[in-house]
Amino acid sequence: MVQEKEGQDQRIVLALCICSSCPSWVECGERGGYCSANVGRSRKIKKERGCICGGCPVAEKLGLVRDYFCTRGSEKKQMGR
Ligand code: SF4
Ligand code: SF4
């Protein structure tokens, strides 16, 4: 099922996400994974102080080209999809 697959993908993204080591990170109970359309933007991160998504295994695995997903939205959203 598509839903099951999406849930699994999201779990993998959250497990590999390195947002919590980022200078823009705000400790607020969120778990990162903002590049995923299912997660969406952060409710707390507002200031862009650097983004380390380029060094994340998820970005490499999925071939992501954008960054600052926490403030600007998911890759899909930034691409206007
Ligand atoms: S690409 Fe960025 S937002 Fe996505 S999982 Fe990696 S660190 Fe987190
Ligand atoms: S999406 Fe980028 S800027 Fe935002 S917390 Fe994750 S690594 Fe940092």
Side-chain angles (χ1 to χ4, degrees):
M1 279 182 30
V2 175
Q3 251 177 352
E4 258 174 48
K5 168 113 181 28
E6 278 177 8
Q8 204 180 19
D9 287 350
Q10 199 170 320
R11 270 196 296 280
I12 294 168
V13 168
L14 291 175
L16 296 176
C17 182
I18 58 169
C19 282
S20 61
S21 304
C22 168
S24 303
W25 178 253
V26 173
E27 205 60 66
C28 64
E30 290 180 352
R31 295 188 299 157
Y34 308 111
C35 57
S36 162
N38 295 330
V39 174
R41 273 189 283 212
S42 168
R43 278 169 294 136
K44 294 287 178 210
I45 301 171
K46 302 288 177 203
K47 292 213 169 94
E48 296 182 348
R49 302 177 199 270
C51 179
I52 58 172
C53 284
C56 172
V58 175
E60 198 191 322
K61 213 169 142 80
L62 302 181
L64 302 182
V65 295
R66 301 296 175 109
D67 53 12
Y68 283 112
F69 303 112
C70 58
T71 51
R72 301 178 190 178
S74 69
E75 176 99 347
K76 267 191 193 168
K77 194 168 165 85
Q78 290 192 43
M79 298 291 217
R81 288 190 217 139

